[in-house]
């Protein structure tokens, strides 16, 4: 088994939570993705935070391009971990 991870960067918490639900429905993700708040460097304001959805893909069945397009539906993108 490999330790492949995908990191989806979203603009806000609501979008991140919606993405978690949609990952289950659209991609059949079984393991619970982790939602993490990522404050931008030098910013103290909670408004200036991105939200990350980190999911493991040990079977390497998720396509990086599809995930990037998927995150784009919420004005986000897929980041290389």
């Amino acid at each position: 088994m490999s330790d492949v991870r995908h990191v989806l960067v979203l603009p806000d918490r609501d979008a991140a939570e919606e993405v978690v639900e949609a990952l289950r429905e659209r991609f059949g993700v079984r393991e619970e993705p982790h939602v993490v708040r990522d404050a931008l460097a030098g910013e103290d304001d909670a408004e200036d935070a991105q939200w990350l959805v980190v999911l493991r893909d040990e079977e390497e069945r998720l396509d990086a391009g599809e995930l990037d397009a998927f995150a784009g539906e919420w004005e986000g993108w897929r980041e290389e971990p």
Side-chain angles (χ1 to χ4, degrees), residues 10-68:
L10 289 306
D12 56 52
R13 184 179 188 150
D14 290 340
E17 290 174 353
E18 288 176 21
V19 162
V20 168
E21 288 301 315
L23 281 167
R24 291 186 193 117
E25 294 171 14
R26 191 176 306 179
F27 295 99
V29 171
R30 288 174 256 138
E31 185 174 327
E32 182 73 21
H34 299 284
V35 177
V36 180
R37 181 181 177 270
D38 183 35
L40 300 176
E43 299 294 335
D44 294 328
D45 189 356
E47 295 287 324
D48 294 324
Q50 295 173 326
W51 288 81
L52 310 178
V53 175
V54 181
L55 60 145
R56 295 177 60 175
D57 184 20
E58 294 177 348
E59 297 170 2
E60 297 183 47
R61 62 182 197 84
L62 300 172
D63 179 75
E66 286 182 34
L67 287 173
D68 191 34

